C-alpha cells in the first residue's frame, strides 16, 4: 500500500537533515533544537550565557524554529494542507506533551534525531531508541483503544 | 556564523513543508500508524523510507568531507555508538507513550502551531515544560553528584 505524499514528504525531511548536516555540521533533531533554543534564550534573558555561546548555540536554533513556523505557514496557508486537531481531550494532550518533552530529552532525541539522522548514520543507539519509542507508542495506542 | 543562521532558517522551512506533506502533522494518521493491533495504516512507513533513503545516501558521501560547508568542523556531530543508558531508554518509552497518546511528536506539533489548532498550542506548551523539567532533573543530579564527590 503505497503513499506518495508520505514518500515525498520523507524525501524533503531527509534532504533537510542532509542540508543541515552538510552545511551547518549539525544533527537535525527537533527536540534538541527546540529545547536548546528555549534554554539558551532563557539563559540569555537571565544574563547567564556568554554572548559567544549564544551566538554559537542559540541563534541558529531560533532561526531553525522560526523557519519551521514559516514553512508551516506555507504548508497550511499557501499549499492548503490539511489541519487536524489531536483527537484526545485537553488534559491528555497536556500530559502527552509533558511526556514527550521530558522523554525526548532524557532519551537523547526524537523521531528526527534518532529515527531519521541516527538510523541513516547506522547508529545502533538510535535504532534501539527508535524501536523502543515506536513500541511504546504502539502499546499505548493499543491500550487506549482497548479501554476506550 | 550569519550564513549558518540564515541557512538554518531555510532548512527549517523546508523541513516543515516536508513534515506537512508527509502526513506527520495529522495526529490521526500517526495514531493510525501506531495502531498495529487494530486499524493499521502503514503509510507513514514511507516517510521513514524517503527520509532515511535520502539522508542515508547523502551522508555516505558528505561524511568524508574534512569540514562542513559553512561550519568550522564536525565537532557538533555525535559519534555513533551503542551506549543507550537505562535512563535514556526510559526516556524513549515516555516519549513513545506521549506520541501514541496525542499523535504528536516535537516537530509536527511545533509546525502545527501555524495551523491554528488549539491542541498543538497545548501540546507545545506542555512539551516546553517537559524540556525544562528534564533540564532541571539533570542539574539536580549533577549537583548531587558534585556534593557526594566533595564529601569523600
Amino acid at each position: 500500500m503505497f503513499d506518495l505524499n508520505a514518500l515525498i514528504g520523507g524525501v524533503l525531511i531527509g534532504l533537510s537533515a542532509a542540508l543541515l548536516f552538510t552545511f551547518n555540521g549539525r544533527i537535525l533533531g527537533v527536540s534538541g533544537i527546540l529545547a536548546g533554543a528555549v534554554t539558551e534564550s532563557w539563559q540569555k534573558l537571565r544574563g547567564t550565557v556568554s554572548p559567544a555561546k549564544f551566538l554559537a548555540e542559540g541563534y541558529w536554533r531560533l532561526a531553525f524554529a522560526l523557519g519551521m513556523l514559516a514553512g508551516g505557514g506555507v504548508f497550511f496557508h499557501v499549499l492548503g494542507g490539511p489541519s487536524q486537531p489531536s483527537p484526545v481531550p485537553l488534559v491528555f494532550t497536556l500530559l502527552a506533551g509533558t511526556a514527550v518533552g521530558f522523554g525526548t530529552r532524557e532519551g537523547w532525541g526524537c523521531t528526527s534525531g534518532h529515527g531519521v539522522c541516527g538510523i541513516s548514520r547506522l547508529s545502533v543507539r538510535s535504532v534501539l531508541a527508535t524501536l523502543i519509542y515506536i513500541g511504546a507508542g504502539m502499546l499505548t495506542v493499543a491500550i487506549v483503544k482497548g479501554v476506550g | 556564523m550569519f550564513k549558518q543562521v540564515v541557512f538554518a532558517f531555510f532548512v527549517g522551512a523546508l523541513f516543515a513543508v516536508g513534515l506537512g506533506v508527509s502526513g506527520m502533522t495529522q495526529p490521526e494518521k500517526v495514531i493510525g500508524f501506531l495502531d498495529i493491533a487494530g486499524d493499521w495504516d502503514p503509510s507513514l512507513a514511507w516517510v521513514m523510507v524517503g527520509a532515511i533513503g535520502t539522508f542515508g545516501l547523502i551522508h555516505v558521501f558528505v561524511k568524508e568531507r574534512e569540514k562542513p560547508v559553512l561550519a568550522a568542523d564536525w565537532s557538533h556531530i555525535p559519534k555513533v555508538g551503542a551506549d543507550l543508558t537505562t535512563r535514556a531508554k526510559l526516556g524513549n518509552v515516555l516519549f513513545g507513550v506521549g506520541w501514541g497518546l496525542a499523535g504528536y511528536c516535537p516537530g509536527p506539533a511545533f509546525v502545527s502551531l501555524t495551523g491554528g489548532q488549539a491542541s498543538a498550542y497545548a501540546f507545545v506548551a506542555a512539551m516546553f515544560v517537559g524540556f525544562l523539567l528534564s533540564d532541571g532533573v539533570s542539574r539536580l543530579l549533577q549537583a548531587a553528584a558534585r556534593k557526594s564527590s566533595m564529601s569523600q
Side-chain angles (χ1 to χ4, degrees):
Chain A
M1 176 201 290
F2 180 59
D3 188 327
L4 183 64
N5 285 333
L7 185 69
I8 292 174
V11 169
L12 292 177
I13 289 167
L15 185 61
S16 304
L19 287 170
L20 199 69
F21 184 88
T22 305
F23 283 76
N24 291 40
R26 297 276 182 171
I27 292 291
L28 201 163
V30 177
S31 57
I33 292 173
L34 290 181
V38 167
T39 51
E40 291 295 321
S41 300
W42 172 242
Q43 286 180 28
K44 188 172 202 322
L45 284 170
R46 295 184 65 215
T48 52
V49 67
S50 73
K53 179 148 191 267
F54 191 76
L55 187 67
E57 299 299 322
Y59 282 118
W60 78 268
R61 288 188 164 94
L62 280 173
F64 189 90
L66 282 171
M68 282 179 75
L69 296 177
V74 167
F75 176 73
F76 290 116
H77 304 294
V78 175
L79 299 175
S83 175
Q84 213 185 56
S86 176
V88 292
L90 178 66
V91 66
F92 289 113
T93 307
L94 292 171
L95 281 171
T98 313
V100 166
F102 189 80
T104 51
R105 297 302 287 150
E106 294 291 310
W108 308 345
C110 60
T111 47
S112 49
H114 282 308
V116 176
C117 296
I119 295 180
S120 296
R121 299 177 68 221
L122 307 175
S123 161
V124 173
R125 175 201 301 140
S126 289
V127 170
L128 186 58
T130 300
L131 288 170
I132 293 174
Y133 67 67
I134 288 185
M138 287 178 167
L139 191 61
T140 302
V141 170
I143 290 174
V144 167
K145 295 227 157 170
V147 169
Chain B
M1 186 55 67
F2 177 71
K3 282 186 198 163
Q4 289 184 63
V5 172
V6 172
F7 196 78
F9 176 85
F10 287 108
V11 176
L14 181 68
F15 178 65
V17 171
L19 283 179
V21 169
S22 73
M24 291 290 287
T25 52
Q26 294 168 258
E28 308 217 17
K29 214 171 204 305
V30 174
I31 289 170
F33 172 71
L34 296 172
D35 193 9
I36 194 147
D39 223 343
W40 190 39
D41 174 8
S43 36
L44 289 184
W46 292 105
V47 183
M48 301 269 284
V49 170
I52 294 170
T54 305
F55 182 45
L57 183 62
I58 295 175
H59 175 261
V60 167
F61 299 103
V62 172
K63 69 179 167 127
E64 300 306 322
R65 286 180 57 97
E66 223 182 286
K67 66 180 271 312
V69 173
L70 297 175
D73 53 47
W74 293 115
S75 64
H76 297 291
I77 300 294
K79 300 262 170 286
V80 296
D83 54 351
L84 212 56
T85 60
T86 304
R87 183 176 156 193
K89 287 176 191 161
L90 290 172
N92 298 142
V93 171
L94 209 53
F95 164 46
V97 170
W99 190 34
L101 204 49
Y104 275 137
C105 59
F110 192 73
V111 169
S112 292
L113 293 175
T114 57
Q117 294 291 348
S119 46
Y121 281 88
F123 186 92
V124 171
M127 183 173 73
F128 280 12
V129 168
F131 286 158
L132 292 169
L133 283 173
S134 171
D135 193 48
V137 167
S138 294
R139 284 166 192 276
L140 278 171
L141 289 172
Q142 275 169 6
R146 268 199 302 273
K147 264 197 206 147
S148 70
S149 66
M150 267 158 43
S151 62
Q152 265 154 24

